[in-house]
Amino acid sequence: MEQISIAVIDDQPLFIDGLKALCAGVPNVKFVASAASVSAAPAIIMAHSPHILFVEVASNDVPSGAISNICQISADVRVVGLTGARSISLAIQTLDAGAYGVHLGQEDVHTADLAALAAAGIRLGLSTHGFYEILKALHFRPSYIALGAVFPTTTKVMPTAPQGVKRLARYVRLLDGVVPLVAIGGIDLQVLPEVLATGVGCAAVVRAVTEASDPAAAVAALQQAFTQ
């Protein structure tokens, strides 16, 4: 298998260190370079030719059109835009540059141009926090639906109480064959088998990796849990 090289542009050292650790634990994946400013993108691409370049698009030094310009440097580099910002304009910039998809919260569907996303072939993921929001999300025919928070989480303030595994199982039965599902919220290695036992196809984690003493080992253990 060909080795995949990864580079990142982000002004958060913790994210960079975490990505390095994740790459170190995955066979055939090599972390090759990092920088805090998007101005370093051309030099990184020319020197390392990474297969994937992660770019934090919410950084103050990312001007309009920067992502598109980076994509034009080399057709062989896949640029992945990252942001935790609630700015639709940032998402639009990234999508204009050729991004694969976008994930939106329930409140975002009221301001995003979903028709334009669909017309452009952009994949759409939607967050849900209960039966009503699931039915609402299905109206938009998303590429997948995130179900959560399954367990208590500290990564963000949640609008609802934890859904729990029993309710997650009901969602899975209800939506079987309708749309791909992703369980999210407070999931770690200890509870992952219980989550997967519901039949949900995917699970998203944050603290299970970012707060692990050995992130690479944590990723490996989580991946192993999916095969058991």
Side-chain angles (χ1 to χ4, degrees):
M1 180 183 295
E2 180 185 7
Q3 187 175 66
I4 299 173
S5 57
I6 292 177
V8 60
I9 296 175
D10 195 294
D11 58 2
Q12 297 296 320
L14 180 61
F15 175 77
I16 293 175
D17 290 344
L19 186 59
K20 285 181 180 178
L22 292 177
C23 292
V26 180
N28 300 313
V29 175
K30 182 181 181 181
F31 188 95
V32 295
S34 65
S37 173
V38 72
S39 62
I44 287 178
I45 292 174
M46 297 302 294
H48 302 281
S49 298
H51 292 93
I52 302 172
L53 175 63
F54 291 99
V55 180
E56 169 53 77
V57 298
S59 177
N60 292 330
D61 80 334
V62 179
S64 178
I67 302 298
S68 181
N69 292 337
I70 292 173
C71 292
Q72 293 175 15
I73 297 173
S74 172
D76 296 327
V77 179
R78 297 293 181 263
V79 178
V80 179
L82 306 171
T83 181
R86 302 193 61 79
S87 171
I88 294 298
S89 63
L90 285 171
I92 291 173
Q93 290 178 30
T94 307
L95 294 171
D96 285 344
Y100 179 82
V102 61
H103 182 93
L104 300 177
Q106 284 281 318
E107 62 277 13
D108 298 319
V109 298
H110 301 295
T111 55
D113 191 341
L114 299 181
L117 293 177
I122 299 299
R123 277 65 173 178
L124 173 67
L126 292 176
S127 295
T128 66
H129 309 93
F131 286 108
Y132 171 74
E133 291 190 355
I134 289 173
L135 294 175
K136 182 179 176 182
L138 288 174
H139 171 76
F140 300 105
R141 301 179 65 183
S143 303
Y144 69 89
I145 287 177
L147 305 169
V150 180
F151 302 102
T153 178
T154 59
T155 57
K156 63 182 294 186
V157 177
M158 299 303 301
T160 58
Q163 302 293 302
V165 175
K166 289 184 178 180
R167 179 168 286 194
L168 174 63
R170 295 192 193 103
Y171 297 154
V172 173
R173 290 195 297 270
L174 175 68
L175 299 170
D176 182 37
V178 177
V179 63
L181 304 173
V182 180
I184 189 171
I187 299 172
D188 57 21
L189 183 61
Q190 181 177 358
V191 300
L192 182 57
E194 188 179 3
V195 170
L196 296 179
T198 66
V200 69
C202 302
V205 303
V206 178
R207 291 181 294 131
V209 173
T210 61
E211 296 183 2
S213 58
D214 187 340
V219 171
L222 289 164
Q223 291 175 326
Q224 180 65 27
F226 272 90
T227 65
Q228 295 178 348

